[in-house]
Amino acid sequence: MRLTPEQLAVVRHPGGHARVAAVAGAGKTTTLVARVLHLLERGVSPRRMLVLMFNRAAREDFTAKLVALAPPGQALPEVRTFHSIGHRLTQSLVRWGRLAPRELLAADWQRERLLRQATLRVLDGGDAATREAALDPDRLEALGHFCEMVKAELVDPQTLRERGDWGEGTAHFVEAFDVMESLLEASGSMTYADLLYRPLRCLAGDDAARDRVQGFLDHVIVDEYQDINEAQQRLLALLAGAHAEIMAVGDANQCIYEWRGARPDYMLERFTSSFGEARDYPLSMTFRHGHALALAANHAIRGNRRRPDQICLAGPDNPRTTIDAGQGAAPLLNALRQWQADGRSLGECAVLVRSWTLSVSVQLQLLRAGIPFRLAREDRFVFRLPLVQALAGYLHLAREPRRLQDPAHLLLLFSQPTPFVARERLQALTRQLAERQRWPGRDDPLLDGLKPVQRRNLKRRWELLCELPRLGGLPAARLLEHVVERLDAGKVLKRAAARREKGEEDVRLLDVLIEQAEEMAQAPGDFLELLDRRIEGDADGVLITTVHGAKGLEWPLVALWGVNEEDFPHYTRDNPLDDDRLEEERRLFYVAITRARERLLLMHDGGDHRPSRFLAEMAWPDCLRVAGALNGQTANATLQVAEPPLVERYLAAIGRHELAVQAAPAVAVGTAAPGVAEAAAGYTTGRDGYAVGQSVRHAIFGRGEIALVEGDPHDPVIEVRFDRAGRRRLIASRAPLETLEPAERSAH
């Protein structure tokens, strides 16, 4: 097994706790397998060792490599996930009489049934529409997630709800958690979260039981340590006790599961505060991609304050990775066709999205182009999304008035977006409307029990449906805009969502569909056909998945779709970025770009969607130029780059001192081709506190007045009306701007 000096240092760690910071593609598994074999050679008993992996797939991969490299007949330590250790611990506590036996709810429907029961008990006697909204599958899933987070973070339910952004209609979550616990106890059941939660609560108050589970380990190795939560941290401390040596391996830059309770603090500070002094080891060399992407990754993450002081270096035998940025779908489609023309399989390609909502536009583009694809989640095919089905239904009704007599079609249109009326009531109403073709009278029993606002909203929706056949000649995009406006769909979707981000994604889905309809304005029938098309995923096609779903994976070609402000990083006017969320989004972007081996495509929209600030921060044109010089493709002249200290540090680390760099001249966003200007370098740092109406002076555009401020208050995107250059959008911290004092303003 050939190892680098950094890997050998980890393998030969002499003793005590250790913390290993491993960049993406650093060969962690190989290193940890070698560490286990080294300990066994030193005579450490395999029964006194434990390897903890983040999930089952990682555990199986590690076990397979360990078995393949171990000497024949060598006894090996256990390789476990946190949940499997929790399961074993639970079984022990049950045998000792410390915990009551319970069955694990392995099927989703079993858990959902209990969540429904808990919701109905809490809301018993309340408004029927409120109960119906609370029983929506998405809302039930949000309640389930809330219950899991209480157990993952080991906090009081009320505290969790107060500090989280759970959205409207979730006030019952706190009480529902307690009811859910009662139901689990009464039914003798438990969830996966209970595999850690129940034994931890038991052992916290039982010294005798705690003494029985400690003292059996000398070494614990933990992979993906940046992804653990509070419950996992406490379980690790419990197992290790005061004796075992812990080696934690991970990358704080890849901490992207905050929504599951993970924090970069666990890797950066909490490890030593929990376990004491540790020796730090870097694994800086990636074996995945070339210099261009290694440099781009370093640039992309440098804006984060909470990160390790470490840079990623490309191995000498790595592929020469190329990076491109483009606007719209054409560059992606061309790249995939060329990939096939070169004899490569589309199965080697992946399109990553920040959220599943953004995958809709990719799916429609690939369908139009006839390029086969598959989704990591089958339920996210465009034709299976309830909101898409309903919006397509509105378009069908506009072109086929006879659908107004179809109760099933009417039920679909009355159900999405939700009118906050019980489904049973909607079924009865739509059956009568399909038959009568007129709205019921004021005293009709169909309307009994409905609030005045519910009656008005339902009647308004019926009037919209009756109006649509007269608008059948409008383009699909205009029809969709009309429907969205009449239904006040954005407001309804936000109100119906159990979490703010879910509501924002649903609203963004409306935008995506309208944008796609506009693009196909010349063929509205084709647009509807795409929305209706029932397809199966192609096993040899392009994979579409989220960045979260891509964690730990890699592909020769990766296209990152939707690299726009407000999409990636994700924020809205109602939910602006703060420092912590911006760093979280930046880590997610870092994970996304480091999935590529040979080629990375960064795709942003046109029109009103500005390219993401992350394109500028990663300075990919600079990285390509430096990589070209390193690979001997360009002359070794002095290279102009945005961040000379970072590039110089990289060159020194790989021993290429002969290459010289200097700061590039300032370039204003918007003065070059799309995707290049935004990635140009050398901007001077702006000031905090930009405000609408403030006067500024730009080094190139001259004097102007700020018309719009968006995003992170400390690093906003601003729109300026310049006296001579018109309106320009700028990333404040990277634009050569100075604010003008009142006297300077009057002088102009």
Side-chain angles (χ1 to χ4, degrees):
M1 190 186 309
R2 183 180 177 185
L3 301 174
T4 68
E6 287 184 340
Q7 291 173 321
L8 282 172
V10 174
V11 171
R12 297 168 180 170
H13 168 62
H17 298 314
R19 184 169 51 180
V20 182
V23 302
K28 290 190 293 96
T29 301
T30 298
T31 305
L32 295 185
V33 165
R35 170 66 178 171
V36 170
L37 296 176
H38 176 73
L39 290 173
L40 292 172
E41 288 174 2
R42 285 175 45 195
V44 176
S45 168
R47 296 174 61 86
R48 307 284 299 180
M49 295 169 56
L50 174 66
V51 181
L52 285 171
M53 310 302 289
F54 190 67
N55 55 39
R56 184 181 301 175
R59 183 195 70 190
E60 292 174 351
D61 180 56
F62 185 91
T63 302
K65 291 182 178 178
L66 181 60
V67 170
L69 293 173
Q74 170 70 60
L76 299 175
E78 285 194 310
V79 182
R80 292 272 183 170
T81 65
F82 277 99
H83 281 99
S84 68
I85 283 291
H87 183 59
R88 171 182 287 185
L89 188 55
T90 299
Q91 290 178 318
S92 297
L93 292 170
V94 169
R95 286 198 309 272
W96 301 340
R98 259 65 177 197
L99 280 178
R102 292 190 186 182
E103 291 293 325
L104 183 65
L105 295 176
D108 290 341
W109 66 266
Q110 295 173 308
R111 174 172 164 270
E112 183 178 338
R113 182 181 61 187
L114 292 181
L115 290 169
R116 288 178 64 88
Q117 293 177 14
T119 299
L120 288 171
R121 286 194 187 182
V122 172
L123 299 177
D124 182 40
D127 177 71
T130 301
R131 287 199 305 274
E132 182 70 18
L135 293 173
D136 178 83
D138 287 340
R139 187 70 56 86
L140 287 176
E141 182 58 35
L143 172 59
H145 179 60
F146 178 85
C147 294
E148 291 170 359
M149 287 298 293
V150 170
K151 297 177 180 182
E153 300 206 15
L154 301 173
V155 295
D156 177 79
Q158 183 64 41
T159 301
L160 180 66
R161 186 169 185 277
E162 289 174 354
R163 79 185 190 196
D165 190 4
W166 296 94
E168 295 183 35
T170 61
H172 67 285
F173 278 15
V174 174
E175 187 178 352
F177 173 83
D178 293 330
V179 175
M180 182 70 174
E181 288 298 281
S182 299
L183 291 171
L184 287 169
E185 181 179 5
S187 63
S189 305
M190 62 180 175
T191 66
Y192 280 101
D194 286 315
L195 293 175
L196 275 61
Y197 183 69
R198 294 183 72 225
L200 285 173
R201 292 191 68 190
C202 172
L203 293 170
D206 191 332
D207 293 343
R210 192 163 56 249
D211 290 341
R212 292 183 69 174
V213 302
Q214 291 181 332
F216 294 96
L217 295 172
D218 294 329
H219 294 272
V220 182
I221 297 174
V222 189
D223 190 24
E224 301 289 2
Y225 190 81
Q226 79 282 347
D227 290 331
I228 71 169
N229 56 38
E230 182 64 25
Q232 292 167 328
Q233 171 91 341
R234 292 196 196 180
L235 178 63
L236 176 61
L238 183 74
L239 295 173
H243 174 70
E245 298 177 0
I246 302 173
M247 175 175 282
V249 186
D251 182 4
N253 290 336
Q254 296 187 70
C255 178
I256 62 172
Y257 293 120
E258 285 87 343
W259 52 276
R260 290 200 314 219
R263 302 284 185 274
D265 302 4
Y266 288 109
M267 191 76 192
L268 296 174
E269 296 100 10
R270 291 283 299 277
F271 182 82
T272 52
S273 65
S274 297
F275 303 111
E277 183 178 351
R279 179 175 295 189
D280 286 321
Y281 293 95
L283 289 180
S284 302
M285 182 173 292
T286 181
F287 300 95
R288 180 173 295 166
H289 43 247
H291 292 301
L293 188 45
L295 279 162
N298 293 325
H299 281 81
I301 202 64
R302 68 179 295 276
N304 275 12
R305 297 162 300 153
R306 302 189 59 72
R307 60 181 176 86
D309 182 22
Q310 179 181 12
I311 61 172
C312 173
L313 308 172
D317 299 324
N318 291 7
R320 296 183 179 184
T321 313
T322 62
I323 307 173
D324 296 295
Q327 179 177 318
L332 171 62
L333 301 179
N334 291 338
L336 294 176
R337 288 170 178 140
Q338 185 59 53
W339 192 264
Q340 286 182 296
D342 292 340
R344 305 290 295 271
S345 168
L346 290 178
E348 297 179 303
C349 307
V351 178
L352 309 185
V353 289
R354 167 65 178 76
S355 68
W356 278 114
T357 289
L358 296 176
S359 77
V360 168
S361 55
V362 183
Q363 293 182 55
L364 294 177
Q365 293 290 346
L366 295 180
L367 282 171
R368 288 179 63 190
I371 295 177
F373 64 91
R374 55 198 165 99
L375 270 64
R377 282 182 53 180
E378 295 289 315
D379 64 317
R380 302 307 302 191
F381 274 114
V382 59
F383 64 87
R384 290 181 178 160
L385 301 177
L387 187 56
V388 172
Q389 292 175 349
L391 291 173
Y394 286 106
L395 296 180
H396 278 299
L397 178 59
R399 289 165 171 77
E400 304 172 48
R402 59 182 175 79
R403 291 184 182 243
L404 205 58
Q405 301 172 23
D406 181 353
H409 196 77
L410 292 184
L411 179 61
L412 171 66
L413 304 190
F414 269 91
S415 300
Q416 289 282 344
T418 177
F420 302 102
V421 175
R423 185 172 180 83
E424 293 78 8
R425 177 65 65 91
L426 291 179
Q427 287 174 328
L429 179 62
T430 52
R431 281 197 301 268
Q432 291 297 323
L433 288 174
E435 180 181 338
R436 299 176 184 177
Q437 291 295 291
R438 58 180 172 80
W439 186 250
R442 179 178 300 178
D443 299 325
D444 194 303
L446 280 172
L447 304 182
D448 285 349
L450 290 176
K451 296 178 180 179
V453 65
Q454 292 175 316
R455 292 189 179 207
R456 288 195 299 270
N457 288 339
L458 290 173
K459 185 177 181 181
R460 187 179 303 121
R461 190 166 302 202
W462 170 249
E463 291 171 345
L464 169 64
L465 300 184
C466 294
E467 175 189 18
L468 283 178
R470 299 195 299 271
L471 304 176
L474 290 177
R478 301 289 78 78
L479 270 173
L480 287 177
E481 287 178 339
H482 180 71
V483 169
V484 167
E485 180 181 355
R486 286 289 303 275
L487 297 177
D488 202 2
K491 182 178 179 180
V492 171
L493 291 170
K494 288 181 179 180
R495 181 186 167 199
R499 288 187 293 161
R500 174 181 284 177
E501 186 164 343
K502 174 62 168 61
E504 291 169 349
E505 287 185 7
D506 287 343
V507 173
R508 183 69 177 100
L509 178 56
L510 299 178
D511 295 337
V512 168
L513 288 172
I514 291 172
E515 290 161 6
Q516 293 299 305
E518 286 178 338
E519 187 171 327
M520 298 182 65
Q522 304 304 316
D526 291 347
F527 177 68
L528 259 178
E529 190 273 333
L530 287 179
L531 295 185
D532 290 337
R533 188 180 298 181
R534 303 302 196 253
I535 60 171
E536 296 292 334
D538 191 315
D540 297 322
V542 180
L543 175 67
I544 301 176
T545 189
T546 62
V547 180
H548 284 100
K551 179 75 166 18
L553 303 175
E554 60 183 59
W555 296 270
L557 186 153
V558 169
L560 183 56
W561 182 269
V563 191
N564 316 301
E565 283 294 309
E566 300 185 56
D567 286 332
F568 208 169
H570 172 72
Y571 62 91
T572 65
R573 294 180 189 274
D574 297 330
N575 186 24
L577 284 172
D578 57 25
D579 290 344
D580 289 339
R581 281 193 54 236
L582 179 58
E583 294 209 359
E584 181 182 340
E585 291 288 306
R586 196 176 277 122
R587 289 193 295 271
L588 192 60
F589 183 77
Y590 175 88
V591 168
I593 64 176
T594 54
R595 301 307 96 196
R597 291 203 301 265
E598 300 174 30
R599 187 169 186 187
L600 173 66
L601 292 173
L602 302 156
M603 315 307 302
H604 60 85
D605 296 347
D608 295 334
H609 300 132
R610 300 179 307 282
S612 169
R613 70 189 70 191
F614 294 156
L615 283 172
E617 292 179 355
M618 71 185 291
W620 62 270
D622 287 357
C623 302
L624 286 175
R625 287 195 297 273
V626 174
L630 287 171
N631 295 327
Q633 296 167 325
T634 58
N636 290 346
T638 299
L639 299 167
Q640 293 186 338
V641 296
E643 302 292 342
L646 177 57
V647 176
E648 288 170 346
R649 183 181 177 186
Y650 186 93
L651 295 174
I654 62 173
R656 296 295 297 272
H657 302 277
E658 78 278 7
L659 292 180
V661 298
Q662 67 181 30
V667 179
V669 174
T671 59
V676 177
E678 290 76 5
Y683 303 106
T684 58
T685 303
R687 290 172 41 182
D688 289 353
Y690 288 105
V692 173
Q694 190 174 30
S695 293
V696 294
R697 182 186 293 116
H698 190 281
I700 297 174
F701 301 140
R703 182 195 173 280
E705 182 177 289
I706 296 176
L708 181 67
V709 180
E710 296 180 316
D712 178 10
H714 302 301
D715 186 16
V717 174
I718 62 176
E719 185 173 291
V720 183
R721 287 190 297 263
F722 289 103
D723 295 343
R724 298 190 304 271
R727 295 175 76 98
R728 302 274 180 165
R729 290 185 183 272
L730 310 169
I731 298 174
S733 66
R734 296 179 177 271
L737 284 175
E738 60 176 321
T739 56
L740 299 179
E741 300 301 326
E744 295 179 273
R745 300 177 199 170
S746 60
H748 292 272

